[in-house]
Amino acid sequence: GVSRAQASRCLIDDIFAALDKPMIVHPESGQRVALVTGGSTGIGRAIASALSKDGLTCVVVARRAQPLADTVANGDAYGAIQADLISDSAASSVYSECVERYGRPLVVINNAGGTDRRVLGDHSERHWHGVMRLNIEAAFQLIRGATPAMVDSGWGRIVNIASVYGMPGLDHRLYMDDPATAAIDVPRAFSYTAAKGGILALTRELACALGGHNITVNAVSPGMIDVSERPLTGQHAERL
């Protein structure tokens, strides 16, 4: 089997590959500010810790004050911004606050996300829009805010954390409590799947649009990750 530490290391290696690790600071100015959303727990905190160990000024964004404070106190990040990215225009405010307090981030990791599993008939517009705002709209707002400085600098690195749920051909039964059950009345991640598929498509389009400015845009699509805050149990843990 694969240990939690091994799985985490593999994921971080993928993210560093997407960032082009030898070039994760501006080659001329040495500007080193990195912004990581959803950075106080789980995958996001592991990303922030790895970037900080590489000498970047890492700023993490999350909803809850205590995990943010713990992340900074532990040395996994240099600074923190408390914000709920599900709120309208929150990502735009986060970018402005980062510039004011820490400097312009030329490395942006869009990691914040979450799902809302529901039976199809119970998937209201409110549930749908909440998942979309958190998983794709906030990422787009942050990228839109950050790219002018990247273009001016002639350099930038953007990584969007997507999911296997957004990839074509995924058999979702692998991720259900009972793989033999595929009935219409089983809660499923309809909005999350659509949002993560959108992130992958957005990443491709942004890469085409920004590549000529020496700005790379990549996505990493994790599967099930066993993190201490949300440990896998039962059949999920066995399959991992």
Side-chain angles (χ1 to χ4, degrees):
V2 178
S3 71
R4 177 181 295 170
Q6 288 172 320
S8 176
R9 185 65 257 171
C10 288
L11 178 61
I12 296 301
D13 287 345
D14 286 345
I15 292 165
F16 269 121
L19 282 169
D20 186 9
K21 184 175 179 179
M23 290 289 292
I24 57 174
V25 297
H26 192 288
E28 295 177 2
S29 70
Q31 193 162 345
R32 309 177 73 88
V33 179
L35 186 63
V36 181
T37 66
S40 66
T41 58
I43 294 173
R45 183 163 176 173
I47 295 169
S49 178
L51 292 173
S52 295
K53 287 175 182 176
D54 252 43
L56 274 74
T57 301
C58 193
V59 181
V60 291
V61 182
R63 289 184 297 114
R64 294 177 294 153
Q66 192 57 54
L68 281 170
D70 292 343
T71 301
V72 174
N74 194 57
D76 293 326
Y78 177 82
I81 298 173
Q82 186 176 3
D84 185 356
L85 293 177
I86 203 171
S87 303
D88 290 339
S89 302
S92 299
S93 300
V94 162
Y95 177 76
S96 298
E97 184 173 346
C98 181
V99 172
E100 182 178 343
R101 294 174 58 189
Y102 305 106
R104 301 185 304 174
L106 298 185
V107 175
V108 173
I109 315 290
N110 285 304
N111 171 71
T115 187
D116 188 358
R117 289 177 173 270
R118 292 180 179 273
V119 173
L120 181 59
D122 292 341
H123 225 93
S124 69
E125 289 188 9
R126 180 175 64 84
H127 298 131
W128 175 273
H129 288 303
V131 172
M132 288 295 171
R133 277 197 298 270
L134 179 59
N135 287 278
I136 188 168
E137 291 178 20
F140 177 72
Q141 289 176 5
L142 194 55
I143 292 168
R144 185 178 60 190
T147 49
M150 294 180 182
V151 171
D152 288 344
S153 298
W155 188 91
R157 296 292 181 264
I158 300 169
V159 177
N160 298 319
I161 307 302
S163 169
V164 293
Y165 272 82
M167 301 173 68
L170 175 71
D171 186 348
H172 288 229
R173 289 174 298 177
L174 295 172
Y175 294 89
M176 298 172 70
D177 291 329
D178 182 359
T181 302
I184 192 66
D185 59 350
V186 172
R188 296 178 70 111
F190 296 105
S191 53
Y192 181 77
T193 299
K196 292 304 185 182
I199 279 287
L200 291 173
L202 176 63
T203 299
R204 289 190 292 269
E205 188 69 8
L206 286 166
C208 291
L210 300 174
H213 299 279
N214 198 23
I215 301 169
T216 63
V217 188
N218 290 281
V220 176
S221 294
M224 283 189 169
I225 302 295
D226 186 17
V227 296
S228 58
E229 296 84 3
R230 295 182 303 279
L232 297 178
T233 58
Q235 295 184 50
H236 296 310
E238 293 174 8
R239 289 177 211 146
L240 182 66

